[in-house]
């Protein structure tokens, strides 16, 4: 039985392929290389000793998706990462996001609903909660109207999956990520942001290595202890392992409902300044940064209540913020060599 990983050459996807292959799964990757490099396959092989099968397919092409499932007819599990994911870009170009993130999901589900059983793991995001009222955030926290087309595609995606699961043999797990950071300890794979990084940690490591002059801290007038915004930064390897646990849960029919939802975070909130201080500690370098205005659309605070993931899913993050930052820094140094 093969497992399809869409977006499997991307940041979280590639780390998940590593963990799947470490667990003995046969993996087929679909990736259109729009935000990844084919060299990532070699990195995966260097870590696991195995190359995943790879198909360079754009999931927006319904005929190619259909042909893929005719070729690989024994696929029963799918982990779906492939999507556009830049919040700011989604505001500028909403139709790119609706076409890519929604159409691709529909074409995949159309193929899976033909099967007499299918396990589907969906890459969702804590962004669906907007600014939650209560911290830490549980899976029952109300879904608030999305702050961006990107976030909206995650909310719509969850609804589509729930509707289809009701009338098909598809069982699904929705994984709502908090803030994925870091890189595989081997430094064979990691984050490869295209252009100027939107996210905090890659911007920090690129500043520390000298690629960026300084980091702009987007606001220190938030109602938080040090005035900077708080997030739940989770090591990408912890996140990857959670996908394997979720997949096995469905394959072994341990799921309690046709669609289950889990928040994936550490359960600990860290402010931007705390991340900077932690990075300076692990890298033994002073970081050049300045405080500027808030970024449009940012929320004050988000960190996960991990009880359901720990007790129902049976997964717990293992790495600390420092571990994750140290791995991100090691990776940055490696790729700039
Ligand atoms: C984290 C904190 C910024 C950059 C987004 C998406 C989420 C997921 C992860 C895709 C915030 C501050 C950042 C910088 C800064 N993406 N910051 N200077 O916005 O929490 O989440 O990325 O799946 O869905 O919403 O992550 O890393 O952009 O920001 O001060 O140069 O760092 O204001 O407080 P975010 P982020």
């Amino acid at each position: 039985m093969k497992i399809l990983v869409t977006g499997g050459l991307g940041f979280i996807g590639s780390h998940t392929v590593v963990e799947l292959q470490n667990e003995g799964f046969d993996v087929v990757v679909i990736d259109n290389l729009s935000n990844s490099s084919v060299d990532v396959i070699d990195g995966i092989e260097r870590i696991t000793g195995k190359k995943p099968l790879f198909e360079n397919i754009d999931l927006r092409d319904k005929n190619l998706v259909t042909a893929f499932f005719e070729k690989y007819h024994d696929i029963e599990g799918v982990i779906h990462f492939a999507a556009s994911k830049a919040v700011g870009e989604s505001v500028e170009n909403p139709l790119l996001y609706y076409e890519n993130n929604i159409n691709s999901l529909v074409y995949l589900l159309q193929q899976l609903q033909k099967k007499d059983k299918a396990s589907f793991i969906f890459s969702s995001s804590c962004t669906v909660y907007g600014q939650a009222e209560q911290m830490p955030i549980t899976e029952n926290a109300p879904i608030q109207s999305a702050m961006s087309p990107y976030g909206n595609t995650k909310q719509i995606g969850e609804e589509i999956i729930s509707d289809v699961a009701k009338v098909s043999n598809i069982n699904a797990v929705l994984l709502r990520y908090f803030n994925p950071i870091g890189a595989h300890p081997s430094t064979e794979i990691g984050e490869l942001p295209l252009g100027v990084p939107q996210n905090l940690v890659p911007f920090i490591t690129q500043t520390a290595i000298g690629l960026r002059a300084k980091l702009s801290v987007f606001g220190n007038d938030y109602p938080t202890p040090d005035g900077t915004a708080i997030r739940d930064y989770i090591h990408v390897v912890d996140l990857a392992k959670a996908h394997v646990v979720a997949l096995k849960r469905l394959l072994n029919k341990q799921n309690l409902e046709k669609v289950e939802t889990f928040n994936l975070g550490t359960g600990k909130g860290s402010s931007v300044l705390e991340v900077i201080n932690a990075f300076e500690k692990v890298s033994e370098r002073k970081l050049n940064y300045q405080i500027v205005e808030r970024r449009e659309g940012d929320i004050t605070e988000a960190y996960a209540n991990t009880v359901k993931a720990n007790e129902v899913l049976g997964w717990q993050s293992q790495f600390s913020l420092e571990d994750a930052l140290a791995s991100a820094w090691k990776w940055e140094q490696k790729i700039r060599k």
Side-chain angles (χ1 to χ4, degrees):
M1 172 183 52
K2 287 188 183 62
I3 304 299
L4 166 60
V5 180
T6 73
L9 299 186
F11 175 38
I12 306 169
S14 57
H15 287 82
T16 303
V17 171
V18 162
E19 300 306 325
L20 284 168
Q21 294 196 160
N22 285 344
E23 291 286 302
F25 285 102
D26 282 337
V27 176
V28 190
V29 167
I30 283 181
D31 203 300
N32 69 359
L33 303 177
S34 62
N35 188 21
S36 58
S37 157
V38 73
D39 299 341
V40 168
I41 296 177
D42 299 330
I44 292 168
E45 185 182 25
R46 283 195 294 272
I47 298 169
T48 64
K50 242 177 95 177
K51 264 188 203 238
L53 292 170
F54 169 56
E55 299 282 356
N56 181 346
I57 288 172
D58 191 316
L59 293 172
R60 285 170 291 196
D61 185 326
K62 183 174 181 174
N63 296 329
L64 290 181
V65 174
T66 307
F68 173 87
F69 278 90
E70 280 157 8
K71 179 176 177 184
Y72 297 94
H73 45 77
D74 59 344
I75 281 179
E76 283 176 29
V78 178
I79 304 182
H80 180 43
F81 292 104
S84 302
K85 58 148 223 170
V87 173
E89 183 188 45
S90 77
V91 174
E92 304 300 315
N93 190 349
L95 285 177
L96 167 72
Y97 277 68
Y98 288 114
E99 185 193 33
N100 190 28
N101 296 6
I102 304 300
N103 288 6
S104 301
L105 174 64
V106 168
Y107 298 154
L108 279 173
L109 293 173
Q110 283 172 333
Q111 297 305 313
L112 295 182
Q113 79 170 353
K114 296 175 189 170
K115 294 174 174 289
D116 56 16
K117 57 177 183 243
S119 300
F120 191 73
I121 310 288
F122 181 62
S123 166
S124 189
S125 169
C126 64
T127 202
V128 302
Y129 300 115
Q131 176 54 74
E133 289 295 309
Q134 267 195 316
M135 293 299 137
I137 303 174
T138 70
E139 289 81 356
N140 304 320
I143 303 300
Q144 304 204 55
S145 61
M147 314 267 275
S148 70
Y150 160 73
N152 204 22
T153 66
K154 290 302 180 185
Q155 290 181 10
I156 296 167
E158 291 191 359
E159 289 164 9
I160 290 172
I161 293 161
S162 299
D163 288 346
V164 173
K166 285 186 190 112
V167 294
S168 69
N169 298 314
I170 296 171
N171 286 291
V173 171
L174 312 176
L175 297 176
R176 291 174 179 164
Y177 310 154
F178 280 67
N179 287 58
I181 63 168
H184 195 270
S186 66
T187 70
E188 296 296 355
I189 54 173
E191 194 167 4
L192 288 166
L194 291 180
V196 179
Q198 299 303 304
N199 296 128
L200 177 66
V201 172
F203 206 107
I204 286 178
T205 57
Q206 289 192 11
T207 302
I209 202 107
L211 259 180
R212 310 285 160 203
K214 69 172 78 167
L215 167 77
S216 296
V217 173
F218 297 143
N220 68 344
D221 59 347
Y222 284 97
T224 62
D226 67 17
T228 63
I230 292 170
R231 298 288 187 277
D232 185 332
Y233 296 95
I234 175 168
H235 196 297
V236 65
V237 171
D238 276 332
L239 200 58
K241 289 178 190 271
H243 288 74
V244 181
V245 173
L247 178 69
K248 284 180 173 176
R249 180 180 176 84
L250 293 183
L251 295 177
N252 299 333
K253 300 182 177 36
Q254 294 164 317
N255 50 309
L256 306 176
E257 299 160 281
K258 289 217 72 185
V259 180
E260 293 180 312
T261 304
F262 296 97
N263 286 345
L264 295 182
T266 65
K268 181 178 174 298
S270 300
S271 73
V272 177
L273 288 178
E274 284 170 333
V275 173
I276 292 171
N277 295 336
F279 179 80
E280 290 181 333
K281 191 173 128 211
V282 301
S283 65
E284 296 172 349
R285 289 184 177 214
K286 281 299 292 166
L287 193 77
N288 189 13
Y289 67 89
Q290 62 178 354
I291 307 288
V292 301
E293 289 305 298
R294 293 185 180 192
R295 179 172 64 179
E296 182 67 29
D298 275 356
I299 58 170
T300 300
E301 192 174 32
Y303 55 93
N305 178 313
T306 59
V307 168
K308 189 179 176 190
N310 303 155
E311 295 181 4
V312 178
L313 184 57
W315 164 90
Q316 160 79 42
S317 64
Q318 304 296 317
F319 289 103
S320 69
L321 174 68
E322 285 75 15
D323 294 331
L325 292 169
S327 68
W329 177 229
K330 236 176 103 184
W331 167 250
E332 187 69 57
Q333 291 172 296
K334 159 115 188 250
I335 56 176
R336 302 301 167 200
K337 215 175 261 161

